[in-house]
Amino acid sequence: MNLPEKISTSIRMNVAKRKLDSRKIKSTHGNPLEQWGVAKIKKEIAKDKELKKLFGDKDLNRDDIKAYKLLKLKELVDYVSKNSPYYKELYAEHGLNSSQINSYEDLAKIPLTEQDTLAAHPYHFLCVSRKDIAREFTSSGTTNMLKRVAYTQGELLEIVDSVISGLKMAGMDSNEDTLQIMYPTITATWDPGLVLSKACDLGGFRSVINDSVDAQSQIDTIKEKETTVMIGTSSFIYNFTIEANKIENVRNLGIKKIICSSEPLTDTMRMVIESVWGCKAVRQWGMTELGLANAIECEGEDGLHVNNPDFLIEVIDPKTGEILPPGKEGELVVTTLRRRCMPLIRYRTRDISAIFDKKCNCGAHLDQRIMNVKRMDDYSSKN
């Protein structure tokens, strides 16, 4: 990279850093992801006359957050009805408009968005010009159904911002921390390693990517880079743990937290990982269609905290579509509240979970939390 390119990159990095609310969050002041979410919502309220009239400058409680999300949903229904070819046609067919959505019970009036529809007609969901798209990604997820999704530059920065908050919640709290990114089996065009390394750069953390399946190679990297936190798919972390334990006592390597993502982490797998490494292993859940960074556990291991300002989570009966109450297990349905490039409303994830509707033992009480996510196949075989 020549000097002009270095200067240009430095300027872009500094501009991006100034836009990140996550950099202002202190891990010692409560749950970082909840702090970040509340800060995002309060910033939007401050900029919007109607929202400010409703909420003012007061501290937000759980009911305020729910009311905010309902208002954002109504706003989104209006937005896609004007800008998305798919939703414009769908809602016209159902005679749906935002004036009919006045409570959470009214969510049932909104048609569900199916994965096969997104896969077959991705650009029908677009609400912006193709020239405004910064990146497009293709992923098959757990359904082997190729789905293309698009993001603007601002949306990508928002994703990085939320990732930094999640990493802080997972225990990364200083420039002495190094995240070891281990995704040897990920082949989708959405590379989580690149997103995570960029988040570390902007968040003031160090990172290293090692995509080797060789346990000794991963151990060598941990020692060389003084890794403090590891992240990878649940199955890879588990298998790596088994192999690493045969090589040496890995408790002496200084790992203080392990993040298991992309796949369900069973209680048995977690027990093995935590006993070998001598530290907490937390679950993370995300989908390419929803922006990858959607929910993560805190150290209390009491459910996954949802990226609160960006998503409205529901749980439905996968057979009937009925909305289920908190605590009842069913299919996760997600609405992307603040996305403007390719919003998804009541998107069926084909993943199984339940909503926690109580205060977390970490102290967080404003965000939505979900139970450990399972695959639809595992749920269907028992129901």
Side-chain angles (χ1 to χ4, degrees), residues 64 81 138 157 191 336 341:
D64 292 330
S81 296
T138 303
L157 190 60
D191 185 345
T336 59
C341 184

Side-chain angles (χ1 to χ4, degrees), residues 78-327:
D78 285 337
Y79 176 77
V80 299
S81 296
K82 294 177 182 176
N83 298 288
S84 163
Y86 171 73
Y87 285 117
K88 183 187 297 185
E89 181 179 337
L90 179 69
Y91 293 168
E93 180 183 330
H94 284 78
L96 179 73
N97 61 69
S98 64
S99 67
Q100 299 168 281
I101 314 300
N102 299 300
S103 70
Y104 275 77
E105 288 72 26
D106 291 335
L107 293 177
K109 299 176 182 177
I110 305 175
L112 295 162
T113 300
E114 302 287 346
Q115 291 196 10
D116 56 357
T117 306
L118 177 62
H121 308 288
Y123 296 121
H124 288 192
F125 287 82
L126 271 181
C127 293
V128 301
S129 168
R130 294 286 290 272
K131 66 180 177 60
D132 294 323
I133 296 174
R135 288 292 301 271
E136 294 184 31
F137 303 99
T138 303
S139 173
S140 61
T142 60
T143 61
N144 294 319
M145 189 186 303
L146 287 176
K147 297 173 286 290
R148 179 172 289 274
V149 289
Y151 295 88
T152 65
Q153 192 64 44
E155 288 171 340
L156 293 175
L157 190 60
E158 286 282 328
I159 291 170
V160 167
D161 203 13
S162 67
V163 169
I164 294 170
S165 301
L167 290 174
K168 286 187 174 184
M169 192 175 80
M172 296 193 72
D173 55 13
S174 79
N175 56 13
E176 298 301 315
D177 280 315
T178 298
L179 179 70
Q180 187 152 322
I181 303 163
M182 310 154 73
Y183 286 96
T185 58
I186 298 294
T187 57
T189 58
W190 177 278
D191 185 345
L194 295 177
V195 174
L196 288 162
S197 62
K198 178 60 69 176
C200 287
D201 287 344
L202 294 173
F205 310 127
R206 299 178 302 190
S207 68
V208 58
I209 298 176
N210 186 337
D211 59 3
S212 172
V213 297
D214 180 66
Q216 186 63 63
S217 171
Q218 295 286 356
I219 290 173
D220 291 343
T221 299
I222 291 172
K223 292 177 179 178
E224 179 186 351
K225 301 297 183 179
E226 298 181 334
T227 300
T228 55
V229 179
M230 300 189 304
I231 186 169
T233 62
S234 299
S235 60
F236 178 79
I237 293 288
Y238 176 73
N239 292 329
F240 167 54
T241 296
I242 299 296
E243 294 305 311
N245 194 41
K246 297 175 183 177
I247 297 172
E248 62 179 273
N249 180 4
V250 295
R251 281 183 173 234
N252 298 325
L253 296 179
I255 300 297
K256 66 180 187 181
K257 191 67 66 65
I258 300 169
I259 305 170
C260 300
S261 73
S262 303
E263 303 161 342
L265 177 71
T266 67
D267 291 338
T268 300
M269 291 167 70
R270 169 141 69 186
M271 181 180 65
V272 170
I273 292 169
E274 291 185 342
S275 64
V276 169
W277 291 95
C279 67
K280 292 282 188 180
V282 298
R283 298 175 170 115
Q284 187 272 339
W285 176 76
M287 299 179 70
T288 300
E289 305 96 287
L290 305 175
L292 191 66
N294 307 137
I296 187 171
E297 274 185 320
C298 65
E299 188 165 299
E301 298 179 353
D302 189 30
L304 287 77
H305 295 260
V306 174
N307 174 347
N308 209 27
D310 290 330
F311 304 112
L312 173 62
I313 304 288
E314 305 169 64
V315 172
I316 66 169
D317 183 313
K319 294 179 180 178
T320 67
E322 175 192 0
I323 299 175
L324 300 177

